[in-house]
C-alpha cells in the first residue's frame, strides 16, 4: 500500500492548466446510497472486463437485495448469465475495513442457495420499484437487446448453473481500499466449494471547474477464478491450486448452437490450464482493437476475419480451436486464394505465415492445414499481435 502513487489529474488548455481537486467521499458530503445509485445507473464504471470478460457487460438487476446474511448493495448479471455482487464501502467506520471481505463472501454463500425462480422474482420487484414495470430477468435482457427470444432456454440454464456453482464476481467498491482489506486471503480457504473471483475497486472523484464530477475507477486487486477452491499456503502466502474441471466442458459439448468468444476462452483454459484466462482474453481483445472481427465457428472454434476496404466483405484470416490444448489453423493456400480474390498479392499471406513460423506445429493437424500452437501464440502475445498488425497494414 505504501508504494501506491497518488494520481494528480489536470485539465490542460491551450495556455494554462488546472489541477483537479479530489473530493473525499468520507467527509460527509456523500453517502453509500449515492455510490450505490451511481453504480446502478452507470455500471460501466466497474472494470469487470479487466477481471474476466464473461462478466461484461453489466446489467443491474437489484439494489439492496435481501439475503439471510444482509442486503446486497448492487446486483448485476451479464448476457451470459454470470452474476456480479457489489459491496460499496465509504471508510468512515473502522470495523468495515476488517469485515467487508467476509461480508461479501457471506452474500455469495447465500446467493448460491437461490433458484432461478427466486432470482427472477427479485428482478421483477426491482423493475417495478425503479421503473414501474414488472419485467422478469429474461425480459430485462431482451430490453437491453443483449439476447434474442430463442436464447431463453440456454440463458436460464447458464444462470441456474452459475448460481449452483457460485460462479460469481465479488467486487468491493469504495473511496480508498485500506490495509485491512488487503489481508483477504484468510477468508478464501473457508469457501472450498465456490468458484468466485474477487476484486477491489477504488473510485476517485474529482471536482471539475463546472462543478461536475470526474470519476476514475481503479482496479486495485483481483483474485484468479479458482476451480473447486483449492489453496496452498507457501512461504507465508496463500496461492490457488488449479484443479482439473470438466464440468464446463461437458456443458458446452451438450449445448446447442455456436460457441461465444467468452465460452471459448473458458473452454480453452479448462482444457489447457497452462493458458491463463486473463492472457487469453487480452489476446483476443487485442485482435479486436486492431480491427479484426472474431465470430463463432461451430461449437468449439472461433473464426478471425478482417473487414476489407469498401465494406461488406471480410478476409478469413485464421481459426482458433479449443481442441488439442489449443491450436490455430487455416487450410493450405486458402489465405492466398482469398487475397487474390480481393485483388491483393498472395505474398502478403506468405509474409504473415513467415511471421508465425515460430509457433507452427504440424503435429496438430493434417496435411491440408497449416497449424500453430495457440498456447505459444497467446504466451507470446506482443510478437503475434505485431504480425496481425503487419497483415492489416496491407489493406
Amino acid at each position: 500500500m505504501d508504494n501506491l502513487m497518488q494520481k494528480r489529474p489536470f485539465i490542460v488548455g491551450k495556455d494554462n492548466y488546472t489541477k483537479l481537486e479530489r473530493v473525499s467521499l468520507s467527509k460527509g458530503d456523500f453517502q453509500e446510497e449515492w455510490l450505490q445509485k451511481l453504480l446502478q445507473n452507470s455500471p460501466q464504471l466497474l472494470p469487470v472486463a479487466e477481471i474476466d470478460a464473461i462478466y461484461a457487460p453489466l446489467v443491474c438487476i437489484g439494489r439492496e437485495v435481501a439475503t439471510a446474511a444482509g442486503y446486497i448493495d448492487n446486483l448485476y448479471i451479464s448476457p451470459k448469465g454470470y452474476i456480479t455482487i457489489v459491496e460499496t464501502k465509504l471508510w468512515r467506520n473502522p470495523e468495515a475495513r476488517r469485515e467487508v471481505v467476509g461480508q461479501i463472501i457471506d452474500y455469495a454463500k447465500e446467493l448460491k442457495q437461490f433458484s432461478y425462480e427466486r432470482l427472477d422474482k427479485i428482478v421483477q420487484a426491482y423493475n417495478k420499484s425503479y421503473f414501474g414495470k414488472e419485467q422478469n430477468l429474461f425480459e430485462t435482457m431482451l430490453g437491453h437487446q443483449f439476447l434474442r427470444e430463442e436464447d431463453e432456454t440456454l440463458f436460464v440454464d447458464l444462470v441456474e448453473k452459475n448460481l449452483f456453482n457460485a460462479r460469481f464476481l465479488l467486487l468491493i467498491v469504495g473511496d480508498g481500499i485500506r490495509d485491512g482489506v488487503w489481508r483477504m486471503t484468510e477468508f478464501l480457504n473457508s469457501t472450498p466449494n465456490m468458484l468466485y473471483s474477487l476484486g477491489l475497486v477504488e473510485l476517485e472523484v474529482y471536482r471539475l471547474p463546472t462543478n461536475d464530477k470526474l470519476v476514475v475507477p481503479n482496479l486495485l486487486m483481483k483474485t484468479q477464478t479458482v476451480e473447486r477452491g483449492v489453496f496452498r499456503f507457501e512461504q507465508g502466502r496463500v496461492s490457488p491450486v488449479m484443479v482439473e474441471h470438466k464440468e464446463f466442458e461437458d456443458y458446452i459439448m451438450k449445448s446447442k448452437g455456436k460457441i461465444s468468444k467468452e465460452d471459448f476462452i473458458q473452454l480453452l483454459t479448462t482444457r489447457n490450464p497452462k493458458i491463463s484466462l486473463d492472457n487469453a482474453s487480452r489476446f483476443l481483445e487485442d485482435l479486436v482493437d486492431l480491427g479484426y472481427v472474431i465470430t463463432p465457428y461451430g461449437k468449439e472454434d472461433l473464426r478471425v476475419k478482417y473487414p476489407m476496404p469498401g465494406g461488406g466483405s471480410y478476409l478469413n484470416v485464421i481459426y482458433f480451436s479449443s481442441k488439442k490444448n489449443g491450436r490455430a489453423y487455416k487450410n493450405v493456400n486458402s489465405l492466398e486464394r482469398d487475397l487474390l480474390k480481393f485483388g491483393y498479392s498472395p505474398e502478403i499471406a506468405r509474409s504473415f505465415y513467415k511471421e508465425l513460423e515460430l509457433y507452427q506445429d504440424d503435429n496438430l493437424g493434417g496435411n491440408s492445414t497449416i497449424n500453430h500452437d495457440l498456447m505459444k501464440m497467446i504466451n507470446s502475445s506482443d510478437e503475434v499481435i505485431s504480425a496481425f498488425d503487419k497483415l492489416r497494414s496491407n489493406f
Side-chain angles (χ1 to χ4, degrees):
M1 293 292 294
D2 293 337
N3 294 325
L4 292 178
M5 295 180 65
Q6 174 68 44
K7 287 187 276 296
R8 299 179 183 274
F10 292 81
I11 295 179
V12 179
K14 184 177 180 181
D15 299 313
N16 60 1
Y17 65 87
T18 303
K19 184 171 73 171
L20 296 184
E21 172 195 356
R22 182 168 180 180
V23 181
S24 173
L25 302 186
S26 299
K27 289 185 177 179
D29 294 336
F30 298 90
Q31 301 294 328
E32 288 179 9
E33 183 180 359
W34 174 87
L35 186 52
Q36 293 167 18
K37 187 174 181 180
L38 173 69
L39 299 178
Q40 175 190 15
N41 296 331
S42 304
Q44 65 270 25
L45 285 172
L46 298 171
V48 296
E50 296 179 30
I51 299 174
D52 194 329
I54 60 176
Y55 294 99
L58 292 174
V59 174
C60 189
I61 57 171
R63 269 207 40 206
E64 295 293 329
V65 177
T67 73
Y71 291 88
I72 297 172
D73 289 341
N74 294 72
L75 191 64
Y76 304 86
I77 199 165
S78 75
K80 291 298 176 186
Y82 290 87
I83 292 170
T84 296
I85 300 171
V86 168
E87 176 69 7
T88 59
K89 282 297 173 191
L90 302 182
W91 303 103
R92 301 186 183 103
N93 179 5
E95 292 300 315
R97 304 174 190 176
R98 297 191 291 271
E99 296 174 357
V100 62
V101 179
Q103 189 174 34
I104 197 170
I105 290 177
D106 284 343
Y107 293 156
K109 290 178 181 178
E110 292 299 322
L111 196 63
K112 176 179 166 60
Q113 311 303 320
F114 279 31
S115 63
Y116 182 91
E117 290 74 20
R118 184 177 173 186
L119 181 64
D120 203 35
K121 289 179 180 178
I122 287 171
V123 176
Q124 290 180 51
Y126 167 76
N127 284 328
K128 184 177 181 180
S129 175
Y130 285 95
F131 308 110
K133 50 187 177 182
E134 289 190 15
Q135 277 190 333
N136 64 29
L137 177 53
F138 185 70
E139 289 168 343
T140 299
M141 304 309 288
L142 288 178
H144 285 274
Q145 299 183 332
F146 288 134
L147 297 174
R148 301 164 298 175
E149 294 281 357
E150 56 267 32
D151 296 326
E152 183 171 10
T153 300
L154 181 57
F155 177 74
V156 172
D157 287 346
L158 285 168
V159 175
E160 288 180 334
K161 180 182 178 64
N162 290 328
L163 286 169
F164 179 79
N165 288 326
R167 189 180 287 276
F168 308 139
L169 173 59
L170 315 182
L171 286 185
I172 299 168
V173 183
D175 57 326
I177 306 300
R178 308 300 170 87
D179 289 343
V181 180
W182 285 72
R183 302 186 185 97
M184 65 171 57
T185 51
E186 63 185 281
F187 291 98
L188 299 181
N189 211 24
S190 65
T191 54
N193 61 334
M194 303 179 76
L195 303 179
Y196 59 80
S197 299
L198 197 151
L200 305 179
V201 177
E202 179 186 48
L203 290 185
E204 297 179 8
V205 179
Y206 296 88
R207 197 184 310 278
L208 297 172
T210 59
N211 273 332
D212 290 332
K213 295 176 181 63
L214 173 70
V215 179
V216 181
N218 299 311
L219 178 61
L220 299 184
M221 180 179 179
K222 61 181 177 178
T223 65
Q224 292 181 332
T225 300
V226 181
E227 301 295 343
R228 296 183 186 168
V230 180
F231 293 81
R232 178 181 294 130
F233 188 82
E234 292 179 331
Q235 298 179 346
R237 58 189 290 267
V238 176
S239 59
V241 179
M242 304 309 293
V243 178
E244 185 178 10
H245 186 67
K246 290 291 185 181
E247 189 177 3
F248 182 86
E249 178 177 345
D250 294 339
Y251 180 77
I252 289 296
M253 294 305 99
K254 293 175 183 175
S255 299
K256 296 180 180 180
K258 296 181 178 180
I259 195 169
S260 69
K261 184 171 62 175
E262 293 78 15
D263 283 348
F264 172 85
I265 293 170
Q266 188 71 49
L267 182 57
L268 175 66
T269 55
T270 297
R271 286 177 166 174
N272 188 349
K274 293 181 180 179
I275 300 177
S276 158
L277 191 147
D278 282 349
N279 289 346
S281 300
R282 193 177 303 113
F283 176 74
L284 295 184
E285 290 304 319
D286 285 348
L287 287 174
V288 171
D289 288 344
L290 288 179
Y292 287 88
V293 177
I294 301 176
T295 59
Y297 187 69
K299 296 173 74 172
E300 299 182 66
D301 296 1
L302 297 177
R303 171 169 32 204
V304 180
K305 52 189 183 180
Y306 192 80
M308 301 304 288
S313 299
Y314 291 86
L315 177 70
N316 290 326
V317 177
I318 204 165
Y319 297 82
F320 295 150
S321 176
S322 58
K323 297 177 182 177
K324 299 185 179 181
N325 285 330
R327 74 169 181 135
Y329 65 94
K330 191 79 164 67
N331 287 340
V332 172
N333 298 325
S334 61
L335 185 56
E336 287 91 333
R337 290 194 297 269
D338 289 346
L339 284 164
L340 282 171
K341 182 175 68 176
F342 289 118
Y344 291 88
S345 168
E347 188 59 35
I348 295 172
R350 299 186 190 110
S351 298
F352 175 66
Y353 286 128
K354 185 71 175 177
E355 292 279 340
L356 299 182
E357 202 171 58
L358 183 63
Y359 316 102
Q360 190 167 327
D361 188 341
D362 295 331
N363 295 320
L364 294 175
N367 295 330
S368 62
T369 56
I370 300 173
N371 301 280
H372 299 85
D373 187 324
L374 184 55
M375 181 182 73
K376 290 183 179 179
M377 292 173 68
I378 291 172
N379 290 341
S380 302
S381 177
D382 289 345
E383 293 79 7
V384 173
I385 294 300
S386 175
F388 278 87
D389 196 16
K390 290 179 183 177
L391 174 65
R392 67 153 188 164
S393 68
N394 292 285
F395 313 120

